[in-house]
Structures are given as structure tokens and as C-alpha cells.
Amino acid sequence: MAKILLVDDEPRIARVVRDMVEGAEWQFAYADNGADALDAVARDAPDLIIMDVMMPKMDGFTACRELRTRGVTVPVIFLSAKGDIVDKGVGFAAGGDDYMVKPFDPRELMMHIEAHLRRAAMRPSSAVPSSGTITVGCLSLDMAQHRATLAGEHVSLTPKEFKILATLAASPGTVLSREQLVEAAWGPEFVGETSSITVFIKKLRAKIEDDPTEPRIIETVWGIGYRLDPEACG
């Protein structure tokens, strides 16, 4: 049974969403501000989050950014009165997977929830873990702390660089497409050119390769994508 977490400080919205979620025979969890949402996610482990933007203590964009920093990958649907395209862009950049504007039709929200739960269920079981340590040769990634080390030396990575490297390290030797790496870094609702992943690969190579111009750890498989060689720094 799916568990849906609503984060919204409007009691009327809470009643509508609760009735809708429980009517679908899903579990319902609730927080009325972004700060409490962080605790609710850790406590309730929801399968999907519906997040308001303008809330006390911590706004939805900030809460979503913090969740992504902590490695939480469940879908986040922003549900907000702020419907400007700029606001939507900020929402997606913060790590949101979807964005709906208030007032909303509960039937449409239901369709969005079902679509995201269906997509999440189809993801491979070998998804990147959110805790523990991934070790490939001399490369080690602490998933909880978002800390990378190479031959025992700390490597400073941005959140997106870390996600891309962790995705490659979770399937060493497997060729992953640019689309797969983009989804790992930005989420399935990314809008833009997947060629942007090449910029991040270049930055990663500059940080972990002895010679970035002739990479041995992150290999390019032309026409397909990239793979992390499990023997490159063994």
C-alpha cells in the first residue's frame, strides 16, 4: 500500500487530499510546514510527497532541496498558488518532479499521483541506495554523508556530480545512457538537452582522473553513454 505525505498549512487542502488518498486506499501522512516535513519523511518513509510552497518555518522549495541533499529520491509534486513559469522553474530546479497550481481538480491530482507511483514501481531494483557505502576499486561513496573518496583522499563534489558518479558506481561496468544519468541527477521530469550531462562528466573527470583527456575511470561508449570501469583504479 502506497503512503502519501502531504505538506501544506491549509486545513481545507489537507481534508481534500486526505479524503482522496484514503478513498484510493493509500496511507496518508501529514505535515503543515517544510521543517516538520523533513522529520515526517524520515519517520514515515512515504512513497510520494505533495508539497506546498509558501509555508511557515521552511518553504517547500527549501524543504525539497534539503530532501534531495539527504538522498531522498521519492517523487515530489509541488501544489502551489504560485503558478508563474519562473516559480515552476525554481520548483523543478529544487528537485521537484511535478508542479500543479491551486486551485486544482482532485481528479487531476489523482492522475498525477498514479502516474508517478507507476513510474516509480517500474524503476529497476538496482537503483542507487540512499544509505551505506558504494565501493568500486579505490573509489568509495558514503551515500548518507554524500562524501566521495578516491584512494582515501576526499573528493569535493556538487550534489549533481555526486548523484551521477553514484549512479555509475552502483552499476560498475554497465553502460548507462545520458538519459539515465540525467534522470538520476535531475529527476524524470527534466526539461532540456541531455547533452548537458557531458559537462558534468567533464567536471567529474577533472576531479577523479589522473589524465582527464584520457579517462580510465569514467569511459565514454560512443553513441550510447558512459560506464565506470571497475578495474580502472583497483
Side-chain angles (χ1 to χ4, degrees):
M1 180 186 295
K3 180 178 289 185
I4 311 299
L5 170 65
L6 172 68
V7 187
D8 196 300
D9 62 336
E10 295 184 51
R12 182 184 62 82
I13 297 294
R15 288 193 296 271
V16 170
V17 176
R18 177 191 288 273
D19 290 346
M20 181 188 70
V21 167
E22 293 181 345
E25 298 186 344
W26 295 325
Q27 292 181 317
F28 178 80
Y30 178 68
D32 63 4
N33 64 81
D36 289 348
L38 303 180
D39 294 331
V41 170
R43 179 184 66 246
D44 298 319
D47 299 290
L48 181 142
I49 303 168
I50 303 170
M51 183 91 72
D52 188 18
V53 174
M54 296 180 289
M55 296 182 291
K57 295 186 180 180
M58 181 183 292
D59 66 86
F61 292 156
T62 301
C64 187
R65 289 191 196 96
E66 178 60 26
L67 289 173
R68 296 314 190 207
T69 298
R70 296 183 182 186
V72 177
T73 61
V74 299
V76 173
I77 301 175
F78 283 115
L79 190 63
S80 174
K82 302 179 72 173
D84 186 90
I85 188 63
V86 174
D87 295 315
K88 293 181 179 179
V90 174
F92 284 115
D97 299 285
D98 204 345
Y99 200 111
M100 291 185 63
V101 179
K102 298 176 182 179
F104 63 96
D105 187 324
R107 295 170 298 180
E108 183 180 1
L109 177 58
M110 175 67 77
M111 288 188 285
H112 283 240
I113 293 172
E114 290 174 338
H116 285 289
L117 291 177
R118 189 164 55 246
R119 182 181 292 117
M122 291 190 296
R123 289 176 182 168
S125 57
S126 59
V128 180
S130 59
S131 60
T133 302
I134 299 175
T135 301
V136 182
C138 62
L139 177 67
S140 182
L141 301 173
D142 184 324
M143 301 306 296
Q145 298 296 322
H146 274 222
R147 179 181 174 83
T149 58
L150 185 69
E153 296 293 326
H154 173 64
V155 181
S156 180
L157 301 177
T158 67
K160 284 187 172 57
E161 289 169 354
F162 186 90
K163 288 180 181 179
I164 293 167
L165 185 58
T167 302
L168 289 165
S171 302
T174 300
V175 180
L176 300 180
S177 68
R178 290 189 301 187
E179 288 77 13
Q180 288 174 297
L181 295 175
V182 164
E183 178 166 341
W186 284 275
E189 300 302 319
F190 173 77
V191 177
E193 295 293 332
T194 59
S195 58
S196 61
I197 202 72
T198 60
V199 176
F200 285 89
I201 293 294
K202 183 178 181 180
K203 291 178 179 179
L204 276 171
R205 284 171 169 164
K207 294 179 179 182
I208 68 173
E209 300 278 2
D210 289 334
D211 183 358
T213 64
E214 294 190 13
R216 296 177 59 249
I217 300 176
I218 301 178
E219 298 178 333
T220 298
V221 180
W222 296 105
I224 303 177
Y226 303 92
R227 67 185 288 271
L228 190 143
D229 185 349
E231 306 298 330
C233 64

